[in-house]
Amino acid sequence: MALQQRLDLRQTQALVMTPQLQQAIKLLQLSNLELADYVDREMEQNPLLERDDGDRNRDPAPDGVDREDPVARGDDMPVRDTVDLTSSDRLGPASDAPLDTDYENVWTNSSAVDMAADAGGVGESGEAFANWSGRGGSFEDDESSFEQTLSGTVSLRDHLTEQITMDIADPLDRMVAFALMDYLDEAGYFTGDVGLVGDQLGCTEQQVISVLERLQRLDPVGIFARSLKECLALQLRELDRLDPCMQALLDHLPLLAARNVPALLKVCQVDAEDLADMVGEIKALNPKPALAFDHAPVQTVVPDIMMRAQPGGGWMIELNSDTLPRVLVNQRYYARIQGAARNKQDKEYLTEQFQSASWLVKSLHQRANTILKVATEIVRQQDAFFLHGLQFLRPLILRDIAEAIGMHESTVSRVTTNKFMATPRGLFELKYFFTSAISGADGQAAHSAEAVRYRIKMLIDAEKPEEILSDDRLVEILREEGIDIARRTVAKYREAMKIPSSVQRRREKALGI
């Protein structure tokens, strides 16, 4: 067969991942904190971006342009940030409003603007207080916040340093004590080698051990222990409860962890009632005494979507205005500096920055609209869960939401990542509502895996000490309730919830745990 060259004209369609499209996709999967950092970086790089602080007294618009006229401004209709699911359409189909609509150049929230405007109005009492403060009636001349008057938390190192300085007078022993303090882990245990510390400081191992024993008498009780057994013994000695029976129990902590009651009764030489009391005393101790100090502040999760019940039935879903970045393109500044640009390079730079800023604003609109639409459909499909509880959580996959709102599964996956919704039943990540399905005993009905796990936990929590439910018995009960599930699945769910086996639970009940 002869080879030849020829020219063909073909027409094809292909999706090109432009930088702008990549940016829009990236914004979808960002959390509210990551989005705020991203917008801040963009504002540092782009001089045409500025924050919209809701100030209605901005610079006047160019001559002949009415700011209140969206057509004259070149803006479009704002994105809707609230959805009302009334009782009539709560379980009905999704809204037919198209997602990809035109967007406004200014990303703002009307309720937030109104709140800012209302906060700006100061009544007579506010004016009186301001005038009184201006006449020198303030408590302090310098500006200080309320948080500056609060007491700070004391770290473990500061707490121990103060005690070492007061209790240990010998300079060498004090130096050894500070060296030993460097070997404390986050739980308060001493993890170093006393021989190595002695070699480093030029003192004997016995002197280091002597200082370590003095440090073990400091507050909190149990600090500087070298093992869990020693930590518990220090606390029991402080309570004057370290008798031979309790010491025998500490010497056999692996038997206690295994809930081996017959072996513990034998080694401790006590009856079952005394053993239960001893185990109760062990449970009241603190195995990690240093955790009360140097604790990191709890990072509060800020919801992206707010959901609340309507008085007449149904749900109101709206975006959290506090998590939405309010940015706009300063077109007046752009028009001013564009006219002053004298060379082609400056004009190209300004055009590129203007297009980048405009696309960012439109991408933020698209992100907000998409999040609201996905959250609305999730609430519509999980309506029974919000009304009646976890046992009514229905199985749901990404494809169900994607088909209902006309989007791709990957888009729904990005939207539901690191997005949280505040509901009357608590704060949930959007991913929480997507669970696998377990077939029913009749072969038709399907149950959510999360609801099945919840049911297993309820059955185990309600069991009596003399009637511990085995995995086989749990399978029988669930099948009687219409849930077709295998024994290995029950065991997997039980282990995932950190619930011990029936044998372990029987031993715990015997010990009163």
Side-chain angles (χ1 to χ4, degrees):
M1 184 177 64
L3 298 177
Q4 59 180 356
Q5 294 180 347
R6 65 178 182 179
L7 295 176
D8 290 334
L9 182 61
R10 298 180 182 180
Q11 187 176 11
T12 60
Q13 290 183 343
L15 179 62
V16 179
M17 292 292 291
T18 62
Q20 291 81 4
L21 182 58
Q22 294 178 10
Q23 180 192 57
I25 294 175
K26 180 181 179 181
L27 292 180
L28 279 178
Q29 59 189 8
L30 296 181
S31 64
N32 48 29
L33 295 178
E34 294 171 341
L35 181 64
D37 293 339
Y38 180 84
V39 171
D40 290 340
R41 291 195 302 268
E42 290 294 321
M43 293 183 62
E44 292 176 357
Q45 300 173 4
N46 197 327
L48 300 181
L49 283 174
E50 65 177 14
R51 290 197 180 278
D52 179 19
D53 54 1
D55 186 9
R56 299 179 180 178
N57 298 322
R58 293 194 299 266
D59 295 338
D63 296 339
V65 177
D66 184 6
R67 260 193 202 276
E68 301 301 326
D69 185 4
V71 178
R73 293 198 320 266
D75 300 336
D76 303 317
M77 296 303 294
V79 64
R80 184 179 62 172
D81 62 348
T82 303
V83 172
D84 181 10
L85 294 181
T86 59
S87 56
S88 60
D89 65 351
R90 185 166 54 203
L91 299 178
S95 175
D96 297 332
L99 175 65
D100 300 328
T101 57
D102 292 333
Y103 304 101
E104 183 188 27
N105 185 37
V106 178
W107 169 237
T108 183
N109 184 278
S110 58
S111 60
V113 174
D114 295 338
M115 292 175 62
D118 296 339
V122 181
E124 295 179 358
S125 58
E127 293 178 356
F129 179 79
N131 294 333
W132 173 83
S133 177
R135 291 193 301 268
S138 60
F139 294 102
E140 296 181 1
D141 295 334
D142 56 342
E143 296 182 0
S144 62
S145 61
F146 174 74
E147 288 78 5
Q148 294 177 350
T149 65
L150 300 178
S151 60
T153 58
V154 179
S155 65
L156 176 63
R157 190 173 187 87
D158 295 338
H159 184 65
L160 295 176
T161 300
E162 182 179 359
Q163 298 179 75
I164 292 173
T165 305
M166 296 179 60
D167 296 346
I168 302 179
D170 184 73
L172 180 59
D173 291 346
R174 185 179 298 177
M175 180 182 63
V176 175
F178 284 126
L180 294 177
M181 189 167 53
D182 294 333
Y183 289 94
L184 289 179
D185 62 6
E186 60 181 7
Y189 288 85
F190 175 73
T191 59
D193 186 356
V194 291
L196 181 61
V197 174
D199 294 339
Q200 292 176 349
L201 299 179
C203 56
T204 63
E205 181 177 343
Q206 185 59 38
Q207 186 176 5
V208 176
I209 295 177
S210 176
V211 175
L212 180 61
E213 292 176 351
R214 296 179 64 181
L215 294 177
Q216 290 177 348
R217 295 194 292 267
L218 299 180
D219 182 74
V221 183
I223 199 72
F224 284 99
R226 287 163 286 188
S227 63
L228 176 62
K229 170 186 171 181
E230 188 175 27
C231 179
L232 299 179
L234 292 173
Q235 299 179 55
L236 290 171
R237 185 180 293 113
E238 182 72 16
L239 299 173
D240 196 18
R241 281 293 296 122
L242 191 60
D243 52 29
C245 295
M246 188 67 76
Q247 184 64 52
L249 180 59
L250 294 180
D251 293 337
H252 297 83
L253 286 179
L255 294 179
L256 179 60
R259 273 77 173 178
N260 194 338
V261 178
L264 289 175
L265 293 175
K266 183 177 180 180
V267 299
C268 295
Q269 298 296 318
V270 294
D271 55 17
E273 183 178 356
D274 291 338
L275 180 61
D277 293 338
M278 294 166 61
V279 173
E281 294 179 13
I282 294 292
K283 290 175 57 180
L285 303 178
N286 185 5
K288 298 180 179 180
L291 292 186
F293 299 86
D294 297 332
H295 58 278
V298 178
Q299 299 295 332
T300 305
V301 176
V302 180
D304 301 87
I305 307 104
M306 311 296 293
M307 171 188 171
R308 64 179 184 272
Q310 298 256 70
W315 310 103
M316 176 67 72
I317 305 168
E318 60 184 353
L319 296 176
N320 186 1
S321 60
D322 294 336
T323 63
L324 298 177
R326 302 178 181 89
V327 295
L328 54 83
V329 182
N330 194 335
Q331 297 190 14
R332 180 177 177 84
Y333 178 66
Y334 169 69
R336 183 192 311 164
I337 62 177
Q338 187 185 35
R342 299 187 180 277
N343 53 57
K344 181 180 179 181
Q345 183 178 2
D346 294 343
K347 293 181 179 180
E348 291 179 352
Y349 170 78
L350 292 175
T351 302
E352 179 182 354
Q353 295 300 317
F354 180 79
Q355 293 176 352
S356 176
S358 301
W359 185 267
L360 176 61
V361 173
K362 292 180 180 180
S363 298
L364 292 176
H365 276 280
Q366 177 76 3
R367 177 184 182 273
N369 210 346
T370 306
I371 292 175
L372 186 63
K373 195 167 187 179
V374 171
T376 302
E377 185 59 29
I378 290 176
V379 173
R380 180 178 283 109
Q381 298 211 23
Q382 297 290 3
D383 180 74
F385 162 76
F386 296 109
L387 290 176
H388 307 293
L390 183 59
Q391 62 270 26
F392 291 91
L393 185 68
R394 57 173 293 187
L396 189 66
I397 58 177
L398 296 174
R399 188 185 305 113
D400 298 334
I401 302 297
E403 293 177 353
I405 63 178
M407 290 184 178
H408 195 269
E409 292 182 41
S410 61
T411 302
V412 178
S413 177
R414 292 186 178 94
V415 169
T416 54
T417 301
N418 295 325
K419 309 297 186 305
F420 293 85
M421 179 165 60
T423 71
R425 293 198 173 272
L427 184 65
F428 298 95
E429 187 181 8
L430 295 184
K431 287 284 189 184
Y432 174 82
F433 300 102
F434 296 91
T435 59
S436 57
I438 296 178
S439 60
D442 55 0
Q444 296 180 357
H447 305 271
S448 169
E450 190 67 26
V452 174
R453 280 193 289 265
Y454 177 73
R455 180 56 181 159
I456 293 174
K457 187 177 185 304
M458 289 184 59
L459 291 173
I460 294 178
D461 291 342
E463 65 184 3
K464 300 179 181 179
E466 63 275 7
E467 297 179 1
I468 302 298
L469 301 176
S470 63
D471 292 345
D472 293 329
R473 179 55 183 158
L474 290 173
V475 171
E476 295 176 2
I477 296 176
L478 293 175
R479 287 182 177 175
E480 291 174 0
E481 297 179 354
I483 303 174
D484 186 14
I485 189 172
R487 179 186 178 280
R488 61 179 179 272
T489 306
V490 172
K492 182 181 69 173
Y493 288 169
R494 176 178 54 76
E495 293 173 357
M497 293 184 290
K498 301 186 182 304
I499 298 177
S501 63
S502 58
V503 177
Q504 289 290 94
R505 298 201 305 275
R506 187 174 292 107
R507 292 176 178 176
E508 291 179 0
K509 298 291 184 180
L511 288 174
I513 299 178

